[in-house]
Amino acid sequence: MEEFLFFMEVLVSGLLQGFMYSVVALGFVLIIKSSGVFNFAQGSMCLFAALGMVSFWEAGIPFWLAVLLALLMMVVLAVAIERVVLRPLVARPPLILFMATIGLSFFLEGLAQGIWGTQPHGLDIGIPDRPFKGFPIDVSQFELFAAGVAILLVVGLVIFFHRTRIGRALRAVSDDHTAALSVGISLRMIWGVTWALAGMVALVAGILWGTRLGVQYSLTLIVLKALAVLILGGFNSITGAVVGGLIIGGSEKVAEVYLSLYFGLGGIESFFGYLLAMLVLFVRPYGLFGDEIIERV
Amino acid sequence: MIYRESGQFASSYAKDMRMFPLLQDRWAFGALLVFAFVVIPLIANDYWLSSILTLFLIYSLSAIGLNILTGFCGQLSLGHAAFMAVGAYASYNFAVRLHTPVLVNFLLAGFVAAAVGLLFGLPSLRIKGFYLAVATLAAQFTIEWVLVSFNWFAGGSMLGAIDTPPMNIMGWDVSSNLDKYLLTLSVVVVLAIVAKNLGRSEVGRSWRAIRDLDVAAEIMGIRLFPYKLLAFMVSSFYAGVAGALYAFCYLGSLEVTAFELAVSFRLLGMIIIGGLGTILGSFLGAGFIVLLPILISQAIVFLHISGASDFLANAELMIFGGLIILFLIVEPYGLARLWQTIKEKLRLWPFPY
C-alpha cells in the first residue's frame, strides 16, 4: 500500500508537470497550425514575456495590470516579428524559416536580458508550492493551479478556433494558404493574430515556469521539453500537445524516480521524453494526433 | 575577363570529370593550399593559430559532415555536436587504453561515431521532416547523458572531463600550436576533397534525388533506406573526426559540455549561412560563425562603447541573431551563392559585356 501510494504520488506529480509542458507546446502548435513555421524562439518568447511581466510588477504596478502590460507587449512583439522577419521570408523553404526563428531566439534572449538584466527574479503569484494537507498523497497546490490554467487555456483555444470568425479563418489558413487567400482571408492579419496568441501562451507558460524555476535564462530551455511533447502528440494538434504532455510528464517522472531508486542512474529526464517520442514515432510517424502528410509525386 | 572558360576544352573523359574543370579554379585551389600550408604558418601568430584558425578548420569539417546529411541528403539533424562528442571520447579512449597511432585513432573515432550515427539514423526510415529533426535531439541528449553518467568513457573522472595525451606521428611531435594547425589542416583538406568527390559520385546523386523528392527517388529505383543510413554514417564519421581533432588539436582538455546543443545549432547555422549542399559553403559558413562574435566584440572595443560586460554580451547575442535573420532574408542560398555571383561578374569584368 505504501509502495502504491508512493507510485501514485510520483505519477500524479509527473502528470501535473506534464500539463505545464503542454502549455509550452501549445505555443508551438498554434504557430505551426496557421503558418507552418517551426518556431524555435518560443522559449525565448517565454523568457521575454516573463521577464517583462516581473519587471513591471517589481516596478510597483499591480499584478493584473503588469500581466496586461506584458500581454500588450507580446502583441506588439508579434506584430513586429511578422513585419520584420516573416513577411520577407514568405514562401521560403521551412528550413530557412526555422533557422530564422533560431536567429530570432538569440535576438530575443539578448534583448530581454539587455533591457531587464540577467539576474534571476523570483516570482511569487501567491499560490504556495506546498502539498495540501489531508490527502493520502501529496499534491502541490501550485501544480494543481498550473494544471487548471492549462486546461482553461486549452478549452479557451478550442472554443476560439471553432466558434469565432478569426478562429475559422485560422483553420482555413492552416488547411490551405492559397484557398484561404482566394476567399479573402488576409494572411498577414492571420499571422499577426497567431503570433500574438503564441506570445500570450508564452506569457502564461513563462509565468507558470517562472514561478517554479525563477525568471531567468534557463526558462528558454523548457522548449526542449516541449519539443519532445510536440512530436509525441503530433505537430499540429492541440489535443496532441495536451496528451503528449501528460504521457511524457507522467512517464519521465516515474522512470526518473524508479531508475535512480534501483539503479542509481539520475538525470534521465533530459532525454527520456525524446526516446519515448521516437518509439511512438516508429509506430505512428506523425505523432499520436498529428495530420498525416500525404505525398504525391 | 579574368574568369573566362572559353577555349578550355576537355579532350578526354578524365579531363571532363575532374574536380575543377577550369584552369582558373585549379590555380585558385592551388594558391589557397599554398596560402594555408605555407603563408599562414609564416604570418599568423599563436593566438590566431590556436584559437581561431584551428577552430575554424574543425568547425568546417564538422559542417561538411552536417552538410552531407542536411544539404546533400535533406535529412535535418539537430544533434550533430553529439557525434563530435562521440568522436572526441572514442579517440581519447583509443589513445589512452590501446595506444593506437594518432591518425589511426582519428579514423577509428570516425568509425565509432559512424556506428552511433547509424543507430540514430534508423528512425529516418519512417520519420520525415521536422519530426525527424526533433527526433535527432534524442541523439544529442542521450549521448550527452551517457558520457556524463558513465565515467568509464572519461577514464573515471567526474562529469566526463578528459585530458588528451601528447601526440606523436612517426617521430613528428605534434605539440606546438603550429603543429596542431598543420595536422588539422591536412586532415581537413583530405576529407574535404573526399566529400567533394562523394557529392559528385553516384552516391551523391542518389542523395540529391532523395533530398529533392524521396518518393520520386524511390520510384526511380534508388533504395531510400541504405542511402539515408549511409548519409547518417558518413555525416557522423566527419563529425567524429572533427570531434577527435577538437579534443586533441584545439582544446586538449575538455568536458562533455563542449558539445552541447548550442554547438549543434551553431553548426546548422554554418551550413545554412554558408550554403546548403556545397563544400565551399561549409567553409564559408564556419568562417562566418567563428569570426562573427570576434568581429562584433572587436568592433565594440574599437568604437569605445563602454558598458557593463552583461550589456556587451547581450548586444553580441542580439547582433548575432539579427545578422542571421538579415542574412536569410538577403541571401537565401548562402555565402557559396555569393561566390557564384562573383564568378559570373568576373567572367566579363572589366568590360560591360
Side-chain angles (χ1 to χ4, degrees):
Chain A
M1 191 61 197
E2 196 72 359
E3 278 276 293
F4 179 72
L5 277 185
F6 178 66
F7 173 77
M8 283 308 290
E9 195 174 304
V10 171
L11 182 66
V12 168
S13 130
L15 288 177
L16 292 175
Q17 179 130 330
F19 271 117
M20 288 173 61
Y21 292 154
S22 306
V23 177
V24 184
L26 271 179
F28 282 95
V29 174
L30 279 176
I31 290 182
I32 290 174
K33 251 178 112 66
S34 78
S35 56
V37 178
F38 190 95
N39 176 27
F40 191 78
Q42 190 67 28
S44 311
M45 281 165 66
C46 288
L47 175 73
F48 192 85
L51 257 183
M53 184 256 156
V54 166
S55 304
F56 292 144
W57 197 17
E58 280 174 359
I61 300 169
F63 178 76
W64 290 112
L65 204 57
V67 172
L68 266 181
L69 267 179
L71 268 183
L72 199 67
M73 184 182 75
M74 293 314 286
V75 172
V76 172
L77 182 74
V79 173
I81 290 173
E82 199 274 326
R83 291 228 155 209
V84 179
V85 183
L86 294 178
R87 205 174 285 179
L89 288 173
V90 166
R92 291 279 176 79
L95 181 63
I96 299 291
L97 280 159
F98 171 64
M99 196 61 217
T101 62
I102 293 181
L104 183 65
S105 80
F106 283 125
F107 185 82
L108 286 182
E109 277 161 29
L111 185 65
Q113 298 187 12
I115 301 175
W116 294 299
T118 43
Q119 69 277 23
H121 296 261
L123 177 58
D124 181 11
I125 53 173
I127 294 149
D129 207 347
R130 274 198 312 268
F132 279 119
K133 291 197 175 59
F135 271 136
I137 57 174
D138 288 348
V139 180
S140 153
Q141 292 180 36
F142 170 71
E143 282 179 343
L144 271 184
F145 170 75
V149 170
I151 292 170
L152 268 182
L153 200 61
V154 170
V155 171
L157 282 176
V158 168
I159 291 175
F160 174 76
F161 265 91
H162 287 262
R163 288 277 179 274
T164 66
R165 244 182 108 78
I166 298 179
R168 265 203 303 278
L170 282 173
R171 280 191 296 146
V173 170
S174 81
D175 268 357
D176 190 333
H177 285 193
T178 331
L181 270 174
S182 72
V183 294
I185 295 168
S186 155
L187 263 189
R188 288 174 178 174
M189 191 270 284
I190 292 300
W191 284 2
V193 169
T194 333
W195 279 74
L197 269 182
M200 292 176 190
V201 173
L203 176 64
V204 175
I207 291 175
L208 290 180
W209 280 99
T211 308
R212 166 139 290 180
L213 305 170
V215 178
Q216 54 175 326
Y217 177 76
S218 64
L219 268 186
T220 55
L221 300 178
I222 54 178
V223 285
L224 297 177
K225 279 294 161 55
L227 287 181
V229 169
L230 209 58
I231 55 170
L232 182 71
F235 272 156
N236 41 21
S237 161
I238 292 182
T239 330
V242 177
V243 176
L246 290 180
I247 292 175
I248 285 188
S251 59
E252 83 173 7
K253 199 81 164 192
V254 169
E256 167 86 34
V257 167
Y258 282 91
L259 277 182
S260 61
L261 206 59
Y262 293 116
F263 298 101
L265 293 173
I268 63 155
E269 268 177 309
S270 69
F271 70 93
F272 183 81
Y274 285 97
L275 283 189
L276 190 70
M278 252 168 83
L279 289 179
V280 171
L281 286 183
F282 262 114
V283 187
R284 292 187 61 91
Y286 301 101
L288 290 176
F289 296 93
D291 292 340
E292 191 161 334
I293 302 159
I294 298 164
E295 285 180 86
R296 293 194 178 82
V297 179
Chain B
M1 192 61 191
I2 295 173
Y3 200 84
R4 232 176 24 182
E5 62 270 72
S6 64
Q8 300 189 31
F9 302 110
S11 50
S12 68
Y13 184 68
K15 272 188 185 163
D16 197 30
M17 291 308 290
R18 61 180 159 197
M19 197 159 58
F20 297 108
L22 289 186
L23 188 66
Q24 288 94 330
D25 278 340
R26 285 197 293 279
W27 273 106
F29 185 66
L32 197 67
L33 283 186
V34 169
F35 180 73
F37 276 102
V38 181
V39 180
I40 283 185
L42 289 177
I43 58 168
N45 59 18
D46 244 18
Y47 167 71
W48 270 84
L49 282 175
S50 68
S51 42
I52 297 174
L53 290 171
T54 311
L55 181 66
F56 157 68
L57 287 171
I58 292 169
Y59 270 145
S60 304
L61 185 62
S62 194
I64 290 174
L66 186 59
N67 224 335
I68 286 173
L69 184 63
T70 306
F72 286 177
C73 194
Q75 313 294 307
L76 185 55
S77 167
L78 301 179
H80 201 62
F83 298 110
M84 287 178 75
V86 172
Y89 280 81
S91 62
Y92 169 77
N93 278 303
F94 283 123
V96 171
R97 286 170 209 274
L98 301 176
H99 305 290
T100 44
V102 176
L103 290 177
V104 177
N105 204 350
F106 288 168
L107 212 59
L108 286 173
F111 283 125
V112 171
V116 179
L118 176 72
L119 187 69
F120 282 100
L122 287 174
S124 69
L125 173 64
R126 300 222 354 119
I127 313 173
K128 281 176 193 168
F130 281 119
Y131 282 102
L132 180 65
V134 178
T136 54
L137 280 174
Q140 176 78 38
F141 294 122
T142 313
I143 291 169
E144 262 185 57
W145 177 80
V146 167
L147 290 176
V148 170
S149 302
F150 300 96
N151 51 20
W152 180 88
F153 291 106
S157 68
M158 294 306 290
L159 289 172
I162 55 174
D163 259 317
T164 55
M167 289 178 289
N168 191 310
I169 302 171
M170 291 185 282
W172 177 32
D173 234 345
V174 187
S175 54
S176 75
N177 290 327
L178 180 60
D179 293 338
K180 288 175 177 172
Y181 165 76
L182 285 175
L183 175 64
T184 311
L185 181 65
S186 317
V187 173
V188 170
V189 166
V190 170
L191 285 179
I193 291 174
V194 170
K196 175 93 183 161
N197 282 310
L198 201 60
R200 304 179 324 132
S201 68
E202 191 223 326
V203 178
R205 285 196 303 277
S206 306
W207 280 340
R208 273 168 233 250
I210 292 171
R211 172 193 66 189
D212 289 344
L213 193 55
D214 54 355
V215 182
E218 202 172 9
I219 291 168
M220 283 162 55
I222 295 167
R223 283 172 303 151
L224 293 189
F225 197 40
Y227 278 107
K228 279 186 182 174
L229 280 188
L230 189 65
F232 269 97
M233 282 175 69
V234 174
S235 154
S236 307
F237 178 86
Y238 275 77
V241 176
L245 287 170
Y246 194 79
F248 277 80
C249 292
Y250 178 60
L251 278 181
S253 61
L254 76 163
E255 291 177 14
V256 184
T257 47
F259 304 105
E260 61 186 0
L261 184 66
V263 179
S264 292
F265 280 122
R266 218 174 300 153
L267 289 165
L268 192 64
M270 286 173 198
I271 63 167
I272 291 177
I273 289 175
L276 284 170
T278 60
I279 302 298
L280 176 69
S282 311
F283 283 96
L284 295 179
F288 186 81
I289 300 262
V290 169
L291 287 180
L292 189 61
I294 299 169
L295 285 181
I296 293 172
S297 58
Q298 288 295 320
I300 288 172
V301 171
F302 181 73
L303 294 171
H304 302 293
I305 302 169
S306 56
S309 58
D310 262 11
F311 168 77
L312 292 185
N314 290 321
E316 245 182 78
L317 263 182
M318 283 175 66
I319 296 172
F320 185 66
L323 275 179
I324 287 179
I325 295 174
L326 184 73
F327 221 94
L328 293 174
I329 293 172
V330 178
E331 187 48 88
Y333 299 103
L335 291 164
R337 176 73 201 196
L338 223 54
W339 172 238
Q340 285 290 332
T341 319
I342 292 173
K343 284 207 288 196
E344 299 282 313
K345 293 263 189 280
L346 277 182
R347 176 175 295 158
L348 295 174
W349 184 86
F351 303 118
Y353 31 68

